[in-house]
Amino acid sequence: MIIFGASISPFVRKAVAFAREKGIDIEHRPVPPHADDEDFKAASPFGKIPGMIDGDYYLADSTAIIHYVEAKHPDPALIPNEPQARGRVIWFDKFADTILVGGPAGTIFFNRVAAKFFGVEGDLAAADTAEKEGLPPVLDYLEGAIGNRDWLVGDTLTLADIAVAGPFKNLEYANTVIDWDAYPETKAYVDRVLARESFAELLAMDQAMVGG
Ligand SMILES: N[C@@H](CCC(=O)N[C@@H](CS)C(=O)NCC(=O)O)C(=O)O
């Protein structure tokens, strides 16, 4: 299996870390969006990252790739079968994609860091507003959702944790100011998830890219 996309993208980071938690042998090719690579273009028809090839099977979108991997490699289960737990895990995956990354985390990271990779001027005022006004309600929610538990859903790591913790690295790369004293559970949780071996190589690649 080949997964395409630079891991600085939280969507790529999620898909690759998920596959690595499964212990399967994947090749990670860290291409940028719209890369002029025939295999990548076949996998991701609109040029977004990540894309995936498994034999003669092609797929785009982090969530689609993750559900494919879960179905093909059910052990260890990272998406529970129990209905309520499964619903919660999918909610947190959507929360990460649409409310965290699709909201303040994406605005901050794009305007402070990613814009220059696309050769455009970042809107720094929009990033500041997202940091001061957009992020706190999202962190308030997360702090309550985590409580004093190790994982967001159930007693083991799930897709929910991989999806939610990953974008915090983008906030860090964008030098986001977070009052961590107000969010001690979130801080411990994010550190716990991102310390997993499945993230190690990805985060080292990111550091090389953002120059940290
Ligand atoms: N829903 C998609 C989102 C993928 C996405 O938007 N990736 C961004 C990079 S973070 C991208 O490729 N952007 C280029 C573009 O939209 O043209 C997923 O989960 O994979």
Side-chain angles (χ1 to χ4, degrees):
M1 181 184 299
I2 304 169
I3 298 181
F4 295 92
S7 68
I8 196 89
S9 157
F11 303 107
V12 173
R13 191 179 302 128
K14 175 175 64 156
V16 174
F18 185 92
R20 294 217 163 121
E21 286 287 344
K22 290 284 180 182
I24 58 176
D25 191 20
I26 65 153
E27 181 189 342
H28 175 211
R29 286 196 203 161
V31 301
H34 307 285
D36 190 17
D37 174 308
E38 292 310 317
D39 288 336
F40 169 63
K41 288 195 272 189
S44 184
F46 295 94
K48 290 179 187 273
I49 54 175
M52 182 212 76
I53 300 179
D54 190 21
D56 60 0
Y57 183 70
Y58 297 76
L59 199 59
D61 191 280
S62 61
T63 298
I65 294 166
I66 279 167
H67 282 267
Y68 170 77
V69 170
E70 180 75 17
K72 190 169 178 189
H73 302 278
D75 291 320
L78 296 176
I79 302 175
N81 280 324
E82 192 280 319
Q84 294 191 358
R86 179 182 292 210
R88 291 278 286 168
V89 165
I90 303 306
W91 152 246
F92 281 116
D93 183 33
K94 297 297 281 184
F95 162 82
D97 285 4
T98 63
I99 293 176
L100 186 57
V101 178
T107 302
I108 295 166
F109 181 72
F110 181 82
N111 289 300
R112 289 187 185 163
V113 181
K116 65 173 176 283
F117 291 114
F118 293 104
V120 298
E121 189 91 359
D123 182 344
L124 298 179
D128 289 351
T129 302
E131 178 181 76
K132 287 190 187 69
E133 296 172 18
L135 201 51
V138 177
L139 295 175
D140 289 343
Y141 166 74
L142 209 45
E143 186 73 5
I146 295 161
N148 59 2
R149 291 173 301 105
D150 283 353
W151 313 108
L152 273 169
V153 181
D155 299 330
T156 56
L157 177 102
T158 67
L159 165 61
D161 306 305
I162 296 168
V164 168
F168 278 84
K169 271 288 162 189
N170 294 74
L171 288 169
E172 183 185 314
Y173 301 149
N175 296 320
T176 308
V177 176
I178 296 176
D179 176 13
W180 284 120
D181 289 344
Y183 305 108
E185 303 296 348
T186 304
K187 173 78 177 120
Y189 165 79
V190 167
D191 288 350
R192 180 180 313 120
V193 178
L194 294 178
R196 292 184 73 89
E197 187 57 34
S198 56
F199 282 97
E201 192 182 299
L202 297 169
L203 300 184
M205 287 172 89
D206 292 355
Q207 286 298 339
M209 199 166 167
V210 295

